[in-house]
Amino acid sequence: MAHVHADTPFTPLGIAVLTVSDTRGFDEDGSGDLLSERLTEAGHALVERRIVPDDVYRIRAVVSDWVVREDIQVILINGGTGFTVRDTTPEALAPLFDKAVDGYGELFRQLSRESIGTSTIQSRAVAGLIERTLVFAMPGSPRACATAWDGILAAQLDARTRPCNFVAMVLPEARRCASRQERADEEMTEGASA
């Protein structure tokens, strides 16, 4: 089970938030607001925030611009992950991924099943690594964004989370995931101090 390792310092990341919507502006973007608030409350930096229409090439253009920036390590995308004709976020991202993070979508659907039941199968939440930038796409509702942040991202974007987190993938100087021996040593130390 994951836990926070007290001896590891928190490492703030530069995070960009992209809302994919044909109808929302910043005044109606509750999901972008929620993600921006959550990530800054956690200690990360909101580097940039944009809204683009649900269009494969516009999504790719923004993501491509952001992944080459050194101040952005993570991109959070909300919207465009359903099954309507205009939902194209997964199609926009998949060709850009160097590695897909399949477990993210699987875990997101597992967590969202608690609140929306079997309708969770209509979510095409996806994630992947492009160069050294992590990209996480989730549905566009504030509740779905809260599920993704609170249930997955807050811990996985925290360098203190053990046995593994994503920080070392985007920041080369960060500590890698703990090896089996390191985890066993940590468990013994924790058991001895309890």
Side-chain angles (χ1 to χ4, degrees):
M1 175 172 242
H3 63 279
V4 173
H5 195 274
D7 293 337
T8 304
F10 178 80
T11 305
L13 300 173
I15 302 179
V17 174
L18 179 63
T19 297
V20 175
S21 176
D22 292 331
T23 58
R24 279 186 275 170
F26 285 106
D27 290 340
E28 305 85 26
D29 187 20
S31 296
D33 290 341
L34 182 140
L35 290 169
S36 299
E37 290 167 11
R38 292 283 213 286
L39 72 89
T40 54
E41 287 170 0
H44 300 293
L46 176 62
V47 177
E48 190 167 344
R49 181 175 166 191
R50 289 194 203 170
I51 299 175
V52 297
D54 204 331
D55 176 85
V56 168
Y57 300 104
R58 289 187 181 195
I59 296 167
R60 283 183 190 162
V62 173
V63 171
S64 295
D65 285 344
W66 283 348
V67 299
V68 297
R69 289 178 50 177
E70 292 188 19
D71 60 338
I72 297 175
Q73 290 85 42
V74 179
I75 300 170
L76 303 179
I77 302 174
N78 72 88
T81 61
F83 278 96
T84 71
V85 173
R86 294 292 296 162
D87 289 326
T88 60
T89 299
E91 288 77 17
L93 297 175
L96 301 177
F97 290 157
D98 296 319
K99 291 186 182 205
V101 182
D102 297 325
Y104 167 76
E106 296 165 3
L107 182 55
F108 176 83
R109 285 181 284 280
Q110 179 186 1
L111 294 172
S112 67
R113 184 173 187 266
E114 296 171 14
S115 60
I116 64 170
T118 59
S119 295
T120 192
I121 66 170
Q122 295 188 33
S123 164
R124 297 186 306 140
V126 296
L129 188 65
I130 306 171
E131 295 282 327
R132 293 191 70 86
T133 305
L134 284 162
V135 180
F136 297 95
M138 63 207 74
S141 75
R143 189 156 97 181
C145 291
T147 297
W149 182 266
D150 298 340
I152 305 169
L153 300 174
Q156 283 299 299
L157 299 179
D158 188 333
R160 301 169 296 179
T161 300
R162 294 288 177 250
C164 282
N165 62 72
F166 280 118
V167 176
M169 290 186 174
V170 297
L171 295 176
E173 69 277 5
R175 182 177 170 208
R176 292 185 358 244
C177 291
S179 68
R180 285 186 183 156
Q181 184 59 50
E182 289 171 321
R183 286 194 306 264
D185 293 345
E186 287 175 5
E187 289 172 8
M188 286 182 59
T189 302
E190 288 173 4
S193 64

